[in-house]
Amino acid sequence: MESCELTILMPCLNEAETLAVCIQKARRFLSEQNITGEIIIADNGSSDGSCEIAVANGARVVTVAEKGYGAALKGGMQQALGRYIIMGDADDSYDFLNLSPFLDKLRAGYELVMGNRFMGGIQQGAMPFLNRYLGNPVLTLIGRTFFSKAVGDFHCGLRGFDRERVLQLDLQGDGMEFASEMVVKASIQQLKIIEVPTHLYPDGRSRRPHLRPWRDGWRHLRLLLLFSPRWLFLFPGLTLMLLGCSLMAVLAGGPVSIGGVNLDIHTMLFSSVFMIIGMQAVSFAVFARTIADTHMGLLKRAQNKPRLPKLFTLERGLIIGLVLLSLGVAGAGYSFWYWQHQAFGPLLPTQMMRILIPATTSMIIGLQIIFSSFFMSLLGLHYATKK
């Protein structure tokens, strides 16, 4: 079918109750709209006769051995003949008779067309309470904040896309997180994305859905965090460093009383912890960004070259790290000199720790920067060999 324009793709695992009606609706849509297309059932190991039902209703069955929602869809996408693909669940919760808004946007040049169930309407009983009012809104808010302001329903199972462009995203997820990965990578690679309202109906099956809200919700959240080093590492790290530096500076001159609460060297010790952890988190953000960009091709580059290795060079890191290390050693040396002049006797903790805490913090962060700079240099060498 060389001129096939549209593939309607349904993942399937024991969907005998609803599969026939979904295929019949999809066939009717293709016929009524005079669209050259096909219907693919990506079977993931059904044992209830789903494959026979699919063939009897005129669909093409693609068998996918690797288990999982994402694995089934990837297998179907690879076998699809259509220029465009519209994917949807085979549980009769989506209306395959009303796919024109998706195809119209694809024909207009959009590369990913997302359904939005909150815009189109959710029938009573179609979505569990926690999914509707907690899971989907929270995960969508996180996804919009991290990646795309154009998508208001990250997890809608009905969506259309340009087959070649989405295959180029090299989607890896095998489970339910595949849905988020598609939106995330499409946003990172700046595909043209748009939403259309879609209606969600109650699941037509009598058995329990494959979706496991808490497990699959965590897998979605984990993916969103892993694909955003800024929110996972950089912003928390900078916040901790700023808090730690502020506390350290305030307490360097002596104890501070706020509303009857006395802050002294014990608080200063925690400020040191904040600074060290924050610095480590910022380093992880730089590492993650560089690895994702140069090794995995996940993040968009400016002019095909990552900027971070240029900003964080080995030489700059060594200079900054050595300066901080030297300041820390000087502070520790002064403390030892003072202790020597006290005949190595007991010292006033509130006086000496106000010097030693900043000194040891400076030494630790200086060494962190030096070692991180060498590691960044190794990543840079790897990138240079691949140019």
Side-chain angles (χ1 to χ4, degrees):
M1 196 184 296
E2 295 182 0
S3 60
C4 180
E5 181 183 23
L6 177 65
T7 294
I8 300 175
L9 173 61
M10 305 179 201
C12 176
L13 176 59
N14 296 325
E15 311 288 2
E17 289 184 283
T18 54
L19 186 58
V21 67
C22 291
I23 296 174
Q24 290 164 9
K25 288 180 179 179
R27 289 186 62 189
R28 183 177 162 189
F29 167 74
L30 294 174
S31 175
E32 290 180 353
Q33 301 298 321
N34 195 28
I35 297 168
T36 303
E38 62 171 354
I39 302 168
I40 288 183
I41 306 302
D43 187 72
N44 210 202
S46 297
S47 58
D48 64 347
S50 292
C51 294
E52 291 77 7
I53 293 172
V55 173
N57 283 273
R60 179 159 65 97
V61 175
V62 171
T63 301
V64 182
E66 190 167 357
K67 298 299 183 183
Y69 172 79
L73 286 169
K74 287 187 292 182
M77 289 163 56
Q78 291 166 0
Q79 297 293 321
L81 300 176
R83 175 184 177 185
Y84 306 121
I85 295 177
I86 296 179
M87 60 177 250
D89 299 336
D91 59 5
D92 201 26
S93 60
Y94 295 112
D95 186 6
F96 287 100
L97 285 172
N98 188 30
L99 301 180
S100 293
F102 293 87
L103 187 57
D104 290 343
K105 295 299 182 183
L106 290 170
R107 287 170 170 171
Y110 289 95
E111 295 162 308
L112 175 59
V113 183
M114 297 289 300
N116 189 314
R117 297 164 294 183
F118 299 97
M119 292 169 55
I122 302 173
Q123 282 197 357
Q124 186 174 0
M127 185 182 293
F129 180 87
L130 283 177
N131 292 37
R132 182 170 183 175
Y133 296 105
L134 178 63
N136 272 296
V138 169
L139 289 173
T140 293
L141 176 62
I142 293 172
R144 285 168 61 91
T145 302
F146 288 9
F147 302 102
S148 173
K149 291 181 169 56
V151 178
D153 185 2
F154 252 63
H155 306 104
C156 182
L158 187 63
R159 58 185 70 180
F161 49 87
D162 184 297
R163 176 180 177 272
E164 290 299 325
R165 292 292 286 125
V166 169
L167 284 176
Q168 290 171 7
L169 297 178
D170 190 27
L171 303 175
Q172 299 295 318
D174 291 329
M176 293 292 182
E177 72 279 4
F178 175 88
S180 290
E181 183 186 3
M182 180 185 292
V183 181
V184 168
K185 284 190 173 180
S187 299
I188 291 172
Q189 297 297 331
Q190 296 187 348
L191 268 63
K192 294 182 64 178
I193 305 173
I194 196 171
E195 280 189 318
V196 296
T198 190
H199 206 92
L200 184 68
Y201 299 89
D203 188 332
R205 301 166 298 189
S206 60
R207 63 167 174 78
R208 184 181 178 184
H210 297 302
L211 179 69
R212 300 294 182 266
W214 293 106
R215 180 201 66 183
D216 293 322
W218 161 244
R219 294 178 71 166
H220 283 286
L221 177 59
R222 180 182 65 184
L223 182 139
L224 293 175
L225 290 171
L226 292 176
F227 273 81
S228 182
R230 291 182 305 165
W231 288 93
L232 180 59
F233 298 121
L234 182 61
F235 296 154
L238 290 176
T239 301
L240 283 172
M241 289 188 68
L242 179 60
L243 176 60
C245 287
S246 300
L247 285 172
M248 188 82 74
V250 168
L251 296 172
V256 175
S257 180
I258 302 177
V261 178
N262 294 318
L263 306 180
D264 204 344
I265 57 173
H266 309 88
T267 306
M268 179 177 276
L269 182 60
F270 276 98
S271 71
S272 172
V273 173
F274 294 157
M275 292 172 65
I276 293 168
I277 295 176
M279 183 64 225
Q280 192 65 62
V282 170
S283 299
F284 283 153
V286 176
F287 300 155
R289 168 71 198 219
T290 305
I291 292 171
D293 193 17
T294 63
H295 294 231
M296 300 169 65
L298 298 180
L299 306 178
K300 189 175 180 62
R301 307 174 190 171
Q303 298 179 348
N304 295 323
K305 290 185 179 180
R307 292 177 296 173
L308 285 173
K310 288 188 174 182
L311 295 175
F312 297 92
T313 63
L314 174 60
E315 291 75 17
R316 290 175 183 171
L318 289 178
I319 293 172
I320 296 172
L322 287 173
V323 168
L324 290 174
L325 180 60
S326 299
L327 290 174
V329 170
Y334 171 78
S335 299
F336 183 81
W337 175 84
Y338 183 83
W339 185 33
Q340 184 182 33
H341 278 68
Q342 301 300 316
F344 296 106
L347 300 173
L348 185 64
T350 54
Q351 178 182 358
M352 296 309 301
M353 294 303 291
R354 193 160 275 108
I355 300 172
L356 284 173
I357 290 175
T360 55
T361 303
S362 183
M363 285 191 289
I364 293 172
I365 292 179
L367 288 171
Q368 279 184 310
I369 293 175
I370 290 171
F371 294 145
S372 297
S373 299
F374 275 112
F375 187 66
M376 279 294 300
S377 183
L378 290 174
L379 295 178
L381 288 174
H382 182 84
Y383 172 69
T385 62
K386 295 183 66 175
K387 289 194 295 185

